[in-house]
């Protein structure tokens, strides 16, 4: 496989994207913060199948990290990421040093969705995500951009901003990639000690408990939340941030699993914050 072309400049990336569009090539885009794992690779493989050209961005976006979060220690294995991209047939890696002018004054916020679930625990996080994704989509100008369902709130916010700002790009949601035992893949899993790794699996177990209960006919949100809470509380190093049963479009709390429903968990295992979710569509 030929090496991907690495582009650092936003202007150069934009010019290349324009040129590709002029020659009628479709662009599939996978935005990442690097530390690529099998989850990212499944997005890249799908982008490869569905487009003429694949662009992967690698940029640890400072504006989506809070002051006490892991921005400085976030893994940055660029050479390993590049090798994975080469093996997957990626054409371009967009790896800007920064995407923000020192006096940046323009931020993108998506009303009504940013101050719920993740947004409550990570104030400003989604403003950072929405802004960087808007910038990346404006620079790369893809036909399709691929996002994992593990970050369900991020996916929803990006779908809404792409529609509201007429960015002309199709957002393609992709299933959460999981380890063989069910743990959702995440670059942050690499922070877990073996004991934390075992305890983290309770998040998946709690969600699967919920899935089974709903199949058996239990739709009451309080009962389901209680059962999931019991499973999580058995882990000594796991601290629940939230367990939520919400409308998948508005993220408003629900009393019952009815309609299009997102069941989401965020928890700290040791010092590592993990999220996962399942979705029910149109349960009567
Ligand atoms: O999901 C991520 O890795 C990031 O939030 C994204 C979409 C690349 C924006 O920085």
């Amino acid at each position: 496989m030929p090496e991907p072309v690495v582009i650092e400049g936003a202007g150069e990336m934009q010019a290349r994207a324009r040129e590709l569009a002029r020659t009628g090539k479709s662009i599939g885009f996978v935005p990442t913060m690097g530390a690529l794992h099998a989850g990212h690779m499944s997005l890249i493989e799908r982008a490869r199948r569905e487009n003429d050209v694949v662009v992967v961005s690698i940029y640890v976006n400072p504006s989506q990290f809070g002051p006490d979060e892991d921005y400085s220690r976030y893994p940055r294995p660029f050479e390993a990421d590049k090798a994975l991209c080469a093996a997957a047939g990626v054409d371009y890696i967009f790896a800007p040093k920064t995407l923000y002018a020192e006096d940046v004054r323009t931020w993108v916020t998506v009303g009504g969705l940013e101050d719920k679930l993740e947004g409550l625990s990570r104030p400003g996080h989604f403003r950072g995500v929405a802004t960087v994704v808007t910038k990346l989509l404006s620079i790369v100008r893809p036909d399709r951009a691929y996002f994992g369902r593990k970050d369900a709130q991020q996916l929803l916010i990006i779908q809404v901003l792409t529609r509201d700002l007429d960015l002309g790009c199709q957002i393609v949601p992709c299933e959460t990639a999981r380890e063989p035992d069910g743990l959702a893949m995440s670059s942050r899993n690499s922070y877990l000690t073996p004991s934390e790794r075992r305890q983290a699996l309770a998040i998946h177990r709690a969600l699967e408990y919920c899935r089974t209960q709903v199949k058996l006919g239990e739709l009451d949100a309080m009962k389901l939340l209680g059962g999931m809470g019991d499973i999580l509380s058995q882990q000594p190093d796991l601290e629940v941030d939230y367990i939520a049963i919400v409308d998948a479009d508005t993220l408003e709390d629900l009393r019952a699993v009815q309609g299009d429903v997102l069941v989401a968990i965020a928890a700290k295992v040791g010092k590592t914050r993990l999220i996962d979710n399942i979705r029910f569509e149109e349960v009567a």
Side-chain angles (χ1 to χ4, degrees), residues 79-177:
E79 288 308 319
D81 287 347
K82 191 172 158 194
L84 286 170
C85 286
V90 170
D91 300 287
Y92 296 95
I93 296 177
F94 176 45
K97 293 272 183 264
T98 180
L99 279 177
Y100 298 94
E102 268 182 28
D103 61 345
V104 58
R105 279 171 293 177
T106 307
W107 297 96
V108 179
T109 58
V110 178
L113 294 175
E114 293 192 347
D115 55 353
K116 302 193 166 73
L117 303 179
E118 286 298 285
L120 286 175
S121 307
R122 307 184 68 188
H125 170 67
F126 287 117
R127 182 181 88 142
V129 170
T131 302
V132 84
V133 171
T134 304
K135 281 165 159 295
L136 289 167
L137 295 178
S138 315
I139 294 165
V140 177
R141 300 169 180 228
D143 296 270
R144 298 176 194 85
Y146 297 80
F147 294 88
R149 286 193 188 275
K150 178 173 75 71
D151 298 295
Q153 189 173 5
Q154 165 173 289
L155 171 63
L156 176 63
I157 284 173
I158 291 167
Q159 285 171 320
V160 170
L161 79 83
T162 307
R163 186 205 62 190
D164 287 354
L165 298 177
D166 298 308
L167 294 181
C169 160
Q170 184 192 340
I171 302 299
V172 184
C174 301
E175 285 317 310
T176 302

Side-chain angles (χ1 to χ4, degrees), residues 30-34 40 57 59-61 64-65 74 125 128-130 132-133 136 146-148 151 154 158 187:
V30 183
T32 81
M33 299 204 300
H40 295 115
S57 65
Y59 178 59
V60 184
N61 170 39
Q64 69 188 76
F65 289 80
Y74 198 86
H125 170 67
V129 170
V132 84
V133 171
L136 289 167
Y146 297 80
F147 294 88
D151 298 295
Q154 165 173 289
I158 291 167
S187 303

